[in-house]
Amino acid sequence: MSASDELFARALKRIPGGVNSPVRAFRSVGGTPFFTKAARGATLITAEGRELIDFVCTWGPAIHGHNHPRIKEAIAAALEEGTSFGTPNPYEVRMAELIHDFVPSIGKVRMCNSGTEATMSAIRLARGFTKRDKIIKFSGCYHGHSDSVLIKAGSGAMTHGHPDSAGIPEAFARETVVLPFNDAAAVDAAFAANPGGIAAVIVEPYPANVGLILPAPGFLAHLRRSCSSNGALLIFDEVMTGFRLAKGGVQEIEKIAPDLTALGKIIGGGLPVGAFGGRGEIMDQIAPLGPVYQAGTLSGNPLAMAAGIAALELLDETLPYERLDALGRQVRGALSGACRAKGLDAQVPQVGSMFCIFFTSAPVRDYASALTGDAKLFARFFHGCLDEGVYLPPSAYETAFISTAHEGAAIDRACEVMESAIRRL
Ligand SMILES: *Cc1c(COP(=O)(O)O)cnc(C)c1O
């Protein structure tokens, strides 16, 4: 029995499913998960000492590679001064200023501990600010696991959502209108059907939790206009895309200013952090200034702030976005070339350091078309890569991430492995 198998057997006895977050369990690709004992640069080192080139990057945060010396030093220096104070601390001020510099639509920001908290609080704030109850979300977009947003597709543009999970009252789900991504007419119809009722539209501007989907030209601008003309707030969930595709996230690339933005992942430099922010007049509605309650014992934690500040400063100094995009294009070229050579239908969406592969002939523009991807074939591709030392997200409906540490030998080797795994399908 391998060290990982032994750990997993023990974990199964005391942890539901053996994992603390479900996708880690390998359910959708089969097999048992490996355990990681260390991570450096582009590499994970498993419990049995195998080295894997990692394209999960801890689900996005590790844009500078794992355990970057600069972030490690920042945490170590903060640790000397204490782990948590329960009072305001200087790091929080620096972090808030940095976030505003990077993302100018964020006039004021509140730190929290996860992406889930960030979107949950942004939605409560939007409801409190507009004094309306309903929100619009898009099927396939993931906004964390709070009740309002854990709802995917209704059967059509106008159907109300059904919870994706047991334990969510239908009455909560009725306040969430679920629409297909990239469908401007459905957005218009939902606003028309709920006059004065929609508090906010929440969207991953580049949806990346059902594989990677890009917005049709004009779709995000349409959302901006519809929200403004209907008195609803536009919330960009940039937990994944924030700081990854540009300093200012998708809103910088697409030149669209949302009213509120949710952040997470990279902003914690590998520690648990989330944040939400936006226009000052909206943000001033949260406690202690306003009636919308939001709080956190460990929010603005000094170690987490130190790690996140180091990660953001490093982005500011290195501006790695073009280099990362070149790596992304190299991977896309390798994957599409190998599929073409093999006569295999595939879509390989890529933007900057994010990519995925859908084994389908249909262009993927929303949740329904994403589901046409052949998940069984993906599982074989995944294991083909893993056998040769390349770790991709263990699901056909996740996005892979590249870090600056992949540059050079790692990316070349990984492309060879992925090409060979496709040849063997
Ligand atoms: C990961 C993610 C979340 C949830 O963040 P957690 O830190 O896992 O709670 C929310 N929205 C998007 C777009 C994400 O990718």
Side-chain angles (χ1 to χ4, degrees), residues 114-116 142-144 204 209 237 239-240 265:
S114 70
T116 295
Y142 178 67
H143 303 296
E204 285 184 78
N209 280 285
D237 179 354
V239 170
M240 192 177 270
K265 298 196 167 124

